[in-house]
Amino acid sequence: QRAQMPIIELYDYHIYDANKDYTKASLQGQKALRFAEYEISYETIVTTKSDKNAKSIAYIYGEEVRRVGDEYIFDKGGVYAKDSGESFWSKRGVYDLKKGIFRGIGEFWAVSLSGDFEGENIIYKQKEGTMAAENIKAKIYLDKDFDKNKHN
């Protein structure tokens, strides 16, 4: 069987998904290959904003990302970060751009101003700002003045 040849190759690129009101998402990376049924990109950052009035922006990084339709598949791990300081890493995952949902597969860890978490199979719903997971272990900082950097 012959290896599939890419239709398009991009290097050091920056692509925008915008309408007349605002930029919904952008994609940047070192290299991208588009095939007939999917795309593969390397050292990729997906930046999303849920709507033009959104107060926060989310960034998802992957060493290697495969895109099929509206889904970005992070087989080599993905880091999701918000400009507000919350972030998480998942061993593998799928981000649905249209729904704004990241579904982690396997181990994850998360950090925020309120605590540190680890577990399995994280689901983060960007539009709702909710997170669910399995087998969670957490350190929760109840004191709003607590500086976790002084206590680790």
Side-chain angles (χ1 to χ4, degrees), residues 81-93:
K82 291 172 53 177
D83 58 358
S84 57
E86 296 99 354
S87 65
F88 65 83
W89 166 87
S90 181
K91 187 172 186 175
R92 293 179 55 222

Side-chain angles (χ1 to χ4, degrees), residues 5-11 15 32-36 38-40:
M5 295 294 292
I7 298 167
I8 297 173
E9 291 185 34
L10 299 173
Y11 296 90
I15 300 170
L33 304 171
R34 174 176 245 173
F35 298 91
Y38 65 95
E39 297 170 5
I40 297 266

